Amino acid sequence: MDDLSRFLADVHKKVLPETDGQVASYIPSLAQANPDPFGIALATVDGQLHTAGDSEIPFSLQSISKPLTYALALMESGFEAVDAVVDVEPSGEAYNRISLENETGRPANALINAGAIASTSLLPSGGRMSRLLHFYGQLAGRRLHADAQIAMEELEGGHRNLAMAHLLHSFGKLADEPVQATRDYCAACATMVTTTDLAWIAATLANSGCHPGTGEQVIDPMVVQRVLSVMTMSGMYDEAGWWMVRVGLPGKSGVGGGIIAVAPGKLGLGVWSPRLNEHGSSVRGVRTCEIVSRELELHVMGSHRPPSEDGLSAPTAS
């Protein structure tokens, strides 16, 4: 076992006993999920993959889909068109808060639900989900699919999301019919991934949009810069400040229990554990990201010791 794999195994062993938090309760499939699995995966920009724990169990992407949809909207519709309907400011609010700018009607950013619905609507409705799944698959390095049952449950229970879509439509900030935009947003959240997929997605963002395993340039580097900037400010909603202080990396959580963290130019980290804190983020996931960032000295505001030959050092988890 190599040094980084041993390090991740140590982190997994250290964090595994933490059983605080509850699984998401508002989606039946998530409410019935086993709360115990815990996977970690780390992919480097030179294509190395390291895993620990339950890294190959599938779960739904949920809100980790939001920065990916935002990236595709920026590439296909352009910065000006996207900026006209979605701002780039931190909201400091929960992910599902009904809040739009008073004067413009724009959502604060693309990572809260209202902003993600607006971003989704900017993609052509014909074949939208096929395009999104293809794009997500390019980022993960394999073909992905959406779970129809989870998507249906999210739509049937998504009255708040539908309300936001209608409100966006009333301001002229929705490029599609509200129900269709919400349906596709829910289907995107229901995309099934593994912790390993999360690591490759995050590593592709860390590698300026080029997948480290396939070599495919999936996202334009300027789009990656924009997406990572918004993730830094808004990816963790109303705990974004504490996340930035403790982890110091662009990140995104999902109520399925997944988290991605991106160390630009170095690596992508994926973690999955279904028990969530009060902000809707995986308890074990946040703790894992804290340890990995600290021990590998990844904090974007930190001063770092000289790197090892592979650009990373792998101390024992403490």
Side-chain angles (χ1 to χ4, degrees):
M1 183 183 292
D2 60 83
D3 288 345
L4 275 175
S5 294
R6 277 192 292 270
F7 169 64
L8 291 186
D10 287 344
V11 175
H12 189 275
K13 182 178 180 180
K14 178 180 179 62
V15 178
L16 184 62
E18 300 190 17
T19 56
D20 292 340
Q22 302 291 331
V23 298
S25 60
Y26 66 96
I27 301 169
S29 294
L30 300 189
Q32 298 162 10
N34 181 354
D36 295 324
F38 173 31
I40 308 173
L42 182 155
T44 62
V45 296
D46 61 357
Q48 300 177 49
L49 177 69
H50 309 269
T51 65
D54 304 305
S55 59
E56 296 301 327
I57 296 177
F59 55 92
S60 56
L61 193 58
Q62 295 300 323
S63 287
I64 300 174
S65 67
K66 293 173 180 176
L68 314 184
T69 299
Y70 183 50
L72 186 59
L74 287 167
M75 288 197 296
E76 296 199 350
S77 298
F79 283 73
E80 185 175 352
V82 176
D83 290 345
V85 298
V86 184
D87 206 349
V88 294
E89 296 298 328
S91 68
E93 298 178 335
Y95 61 92
N96 62 351
R97 183 68 64 88
I98 300 177
S99 58
L100 305 176
E101 291 179 353
N102 291 332
E103 295 183 2
T104 68
R106 292 187 302 174
N109 59 72
L111 305 187
I112 56 175
N113 288 16
I117 293 169
S119 295
T120 302
S121 79
L122 287 167
L123 302 171
S125 57
R128 179 187 288 148
M129 270 311 301
S130 295
R131 180 70 186 97
L132 281 169
L133 287 171
H134 176 72
F135 180 62
Y136 296 170
Q138 288 177 297
L139 293 167
R142 71 180 185 97
R143 185 185 298 272
L144 301 177
H145 74 279
D147 186 291
Q149 178 68 27
I150 296 176
M152 182 186 69
E153 291 172 358
E154 295 209 33
L155 183 64
E156 289 180 346
H159 302 296
R160 180 180 290 263
N161 287 332
L162 282 167
M164 285 187 275
H166 283 287
L167 189 58
L168 287 163
H169 190 268
S170 73
F171 277 101
K173 301 302 179 186
L174 204 66
D176 193 10
E177 189 271 329
V179 174
Q180 185 61 53
T182 306
R183 178 180 290 112
D184 289 338
Y185 162 72
C186 292
C189 289
T191 302
M192 301 303 290
V193 293
T194 66
T195 313
T196 297
D197 293 328
L198 294 188
W200 285 122
I201 290 168
T204 302
L205 293 172
N207 198 36
S208 297
C210 180
H211 191 288
T214 67
E216 181 179 8
Q217 187 68 46
V218 183
I219 310 178
D220 181 89
M222 290 304 297
V223 171
V224 173
Q225 179 176 301
R226 165 68 75 87
V227 170
L228 291 182
S229 297
V230 175
M231 286 173 62
T232 300
M233 297 181 290
S234 308
M236 304 300 286
Y237 310 122
D238 46 344
E239 66 174 332
W242 277 115
W243 168 271
M244 198 59 200
V245 168
R246 293 170 176 165
V247 179
L249 297 171
K252 188 72 200 76
S253 62
V255 295
I259 292 181
I260 60 171
V262 179
K266 297 179 180 178
L267 60 85
L269 178 65
V271 190
W272 172 62
S273 184
R275 292 188 182 92
L276 310 178
N277 63 19
E278 64 271 25
H279 305 287
S281 301
S282 169
V283 173
R284 286 172 173 164
V286 171
R287 180 65 177 141
T288 297
C289 292
E290 286 185 59
I291 295 173
V292 172
S293 178
R294 181 183 69 242
E295 297 300 331
L296 298 186
E297 297 191 335
L298 300 174
H299 198 299
V300 296
M301 303 301 178
S303 57
H304 308 302
R305 62 175 177 259
S308 58
E309 289 185 4
D310 64 357
L312 296 169
S313 56
T316 301
S318 58

